[in-house]
Amino acid sequence: FFVTNKFHKSTMADDQAETTASPQAAAEANDNTETNTATDDNTEEDLSGKSIKALKALAAERNVDLVGCVEKRDMVERIAAAPAAVPAPAASGPNAHAFNFNLGAAAAAASDSDDDSAPGFAMGAHMVDDDQQEDMMNILPPCIVRRVEKLRDLNSQRETIVEQYQKERAALEKRFADLYQPLFDERRETIAGKYDREIDAKAKEGGNVNEEEDAQETLDIKGIPQFFVCAMGHMEAVAELITEADVDCLESLTDVKCIDDEDGMGFALEFHFAPNRYFTNTVLRKKYTIPNLLLDDEPILKNVEGCEIKWKEGMCLTHREIKKKQRAKSGKNAGKIRTIVKKEKQDSFFHFFKPPKVPTMDEMDEDEADAIEQAFDVDYDVAQAFRSHIIPKAALWFTGEALDEGFDIADSEWPGEGDGNEGDGDEGAEGGASAAASSANSPFP
């Protein structure tokens, strides 16, 4: 809302009053316009004495874009170069109803930002808070306010219906999730080798097994080794995070689950591990709170919670220890050598369990805000890769068949985010080729 908008209402009586106005009234209006223009601050000297907040309000009033201004001097020069705002002449006549209001000035006046260090970022944030909304209502004529209140009431009724929709859809999602779960449980047991003999026996009954060759190949193989790590390696959004050092640890991954909240406003991912030499956790969990998860709107990420990985000594994959020797230059220990151990961050899939932190607005400039937003976008893409693709279709991602379906996570839309009709017919094949090219250089078979 950092733009100037004017709303004018006129009637035939307004036009008649304007055409019949006396020369004296016209002269008085011209005098008022000249006076207002003359007293309007427009020199760099006058503007330099104003506060950042006052400059923002003046810029909004004159429809001056301050995005890109990083110092107060830049703001002063840009406002000074812009023409001064000339107020519209007041309507006259007994039936005059003309009025105008300036959303930009109201929004700027209500701005809570007094940060002189980053005026460009403050002006670039297109947000309207509650105070700005109230100022908007205060400058509207009473008759318009009453009509807007009617629209507000209609919107409240719609929100009530949306809440009911979310409850019913959440219940429907849970009902079908309960139907899926026995299949996922049996999948986990098959991967672990519980049904090896049963499966082999059925294959022998069908005459599709060479018993000698099969006996040699399956002598020490139980279940399906490296199942989930291979499935993850074929999903581009996930494979980008996995290093060769991670692969050995991920071989102990026995199951990945997605547990939706009962109210449909979030979900949790659970990664179940067999005993391994890297950490003592049996389950690594990550929780997402998304109030509009079941709606078609862009996801609103309210909160993300990770978990602490309890690494065994010397087996941490997210950081490495670097030992450095230092010689004291002064003091009673001068000349003595001591060893300092520092932790250095290194690439690893397991950083996924420690989500990005959101600093306060006072600590963040525009570039930092963009970096944080990008980090959360990547994090959520990975979460949705598991929730919407790997977990429900793990077998197809393990074999690579899902690649032929064109699931390119970086470019595709998630379910409910469009009709999927955009683009040409070759897009799916290109998506599959892109994901296959990515996995060609990965540490996976």
Side-chain angles (χ1 to χ4, degrees):
F1 278 103
F2 292 101
V3 294
T4 301
N5 292 291
K6 292 182 179 179
F7 181 93
H8 297 284
K9 176 182 178 184
S10 60
T11 64
M12 294 297 293
D14 298 334
D15 297 335
Q16 183 178 4
E18 183 178 350
T19 55
T20 58
S22 65
Q24 181 179 359
E28 290 177 357
N30 290 336
D31 291 341
N32 290 336
T33 300
E34 291 175 2
T35 302
N36 290 337
T37 304
T39 58
D40 206 358
D41 295 326
N42 203 42
T43 66
E44 292 190 16
E45 183 177 354
D46 292 333
L47 294 173
S48 297
K50 293 181 175 294
S51 67
I52 290 293
K53 187 172 183 178
L55 289 174
K56 291 177 183 178
L58 186 58
E61 181 180 346
R62 299 184 183 180
N63 198 19
V64 177
D65 186 4
L66 294 182
V67 175
C69 296
V70 295
E71 296 182 1
K72 182 178 178 180
R73 181 180 66 257
D74 299 331
M75 299 174 67
V76 169
E77 292 176 354
R78 190 170 296 184
I79 296 174
V86 179
S92 59
N95 298 320
H97 297 287
F99 58 86
N100 67 77
F101 53 85
N102 189 326
L103 298 185
S111 174
D112 294 330
S113 175
D114 293 317
D115 184 7
D116 291 0
S117 63
F121 174 67
M123 292 301 295
H126 300 286
M127 290 183 272
V128 180
D129 58 25
D130 293 338
D131 292 337
Q132 293 172 2
Q133 292 173 9
E134 290 303 320
D135 283 345
M136 172 69 184
M137 296 297 288
N138 290 337
I139 61 178
L140 287 173
C143 62
I144 297 287
V145 170
R146 292 191 294 271
R147 294 160 195 169
V148 172
E149 289 296 341
K150 169 67 174 178
L151 298 182
R152 278 180 164 180
D153 180 62
L154 294 174
N155 187 71
S156 297
Q157 295 179 43
R158 178 190 177 277
E159 292 298 327
T160 301
I161 296 174
V162 170
E163 290 177 5
Q164 182 63 27
Y165 164 78
Q166 286 183 290
K167 291 179 181 178
E168 293 187 13
R169 179 170 172 180
L172 184 65
E173 294 271 354
K174 186 180 186 307
R175 182 162 72 89
F176 279 91
D178 291 342
L179 296 176
Y180 297 146
Q181 193 55 50
L183 303 178
F184 294 155
D185 291 340
E186 190 169 346
R187 179 181 69 187
R188 182 191 69 249
E189 293 170 347
T190 303
I191 295 169
K194 180 178 180 179
Y195 303 107
D196 286 357
R197 292 184 179 181
E198 180 181 338
I199 296 171
D200 292 343
K202 287 184 178 181
K204 290 177 182 179
E205 289 177 4
N208 298 323
V209 177
N210 185 319
E211 295 187 7
E212 293 183 2
E213 293 180 359
D214 189 63
Q216 295 176 356
E217 292 177 357
T218 62
L219 184 61
D220 297 322
I221 300 177
K222 183 178 180 181
I224 307 175
Q226 301 182 332
F227 178 83
F228 278 104
V229 69
C230 286
M232 292 161 61
H234 289 146
M235 169 62 72
E236 182 177 6
V238 179
E240 291 175 347
L241 306 179
I242 301 175
T243 66
E244 292 187 18
D246 293 331
V247 174
D248 183 58
C249 181
L250 289 172
E251 288 180 2
S252 61
L253 180 60
T254 60
D255 198 13
V256 183
K257 297 180 179 181
C258 179
I259 303 172
D260 288 350
D261 295 353
E262 290 189 2
D263 58 6
M265 295 188 180
F267 62 91
L269 296 174
E270 290 187 353
F271 295 74
H272 294 252
F273 287 84
N276 59 82
R277 63 193 183 97
Y278 290 92
F279 48 74
T280 60
N281 308 66
T282 57
V283 178
L284 298 181
R285 195 171 191 270
K286 192 167 184 182
K287 176 77 172 67
Y288 291 82
T289 303
I290 307 169
N292 64 338
L293 177 65
L294 299 181
L295 301 179
D296 290 339
D297 305 330
E298 182 178 352
I300 299 175
L301 202 59
K302 183 178 180 180
N303 190 37
V304 183
E305 299 176 18
C307 68
E308 180 186 359
I309 301 178
K310 299 177 182 178
W311 299 102
K312 294 181 179 179
E313 186 176 356
M315 302 305 294
C316 180
L317 295 174
T318 57
H319 295 79
R320 61 178 179 178
E321 293 184 351
I322 299 178
K323 296 181 179 180
K324 293 184 178 181
K325 293 184 177 181
Q326 287 186 345
R327 184 187 299 274
K329 296 182 179 180
S330 60
K332 62 179 182 179
N333 294 323
K336 293 184 179 180
I337 298 176
R338 62 174 181 172
T339 302
I340 298 178
V341 179
K342 291 185 177 181
K343 283 190 175 182
E344 183 178 90
K345 186 176 179 180
Q346 61 184 6
D347 293 338
S348 174
F349 166 77
F350 292 94
H351 286 296
F352 176 69
F353 297 98
K354 187 176 182 180
K357 292 183 179 180
V358 181
T360 62
M361 294 300 292
D362 295 337
E363 302 172 349
M364 194 167 45
D365 60 24
E366 187 171 7
D367 290 338
E368 291 173 334
D370 290 341
I372 289 292
E373 182 179 0
Q374 176 66 19
F376 275 107
D377 284 345
V378 172
D379 182 87
Y380 189 67
D381 282 349
V382 174
Q384 277 291 5
F386 282 104
R387 180 175 185 266
S388 301
H389 298 282
I390 294 178
I391 293 175
K393 299 183 178 181
L396 300 184
W397 283 105
F398 174 79
T399 62
E401 294 173 76
L403 295 174
D404 297 332
E405 298 180 13
F407 285 118
D408 186 3
I409 300 306
D411 300 321
S412 66
E413 293 181 332
W414 299 111
E417 292 185 356
D419 55 15
N421 293 327
E422 298 180 0
D424 56 37
D426 294 331
E427 188 173 353
E430 291 175 0
S434 173
S438 172
S439 63
N441 296 324
S442 73
F444 308 100

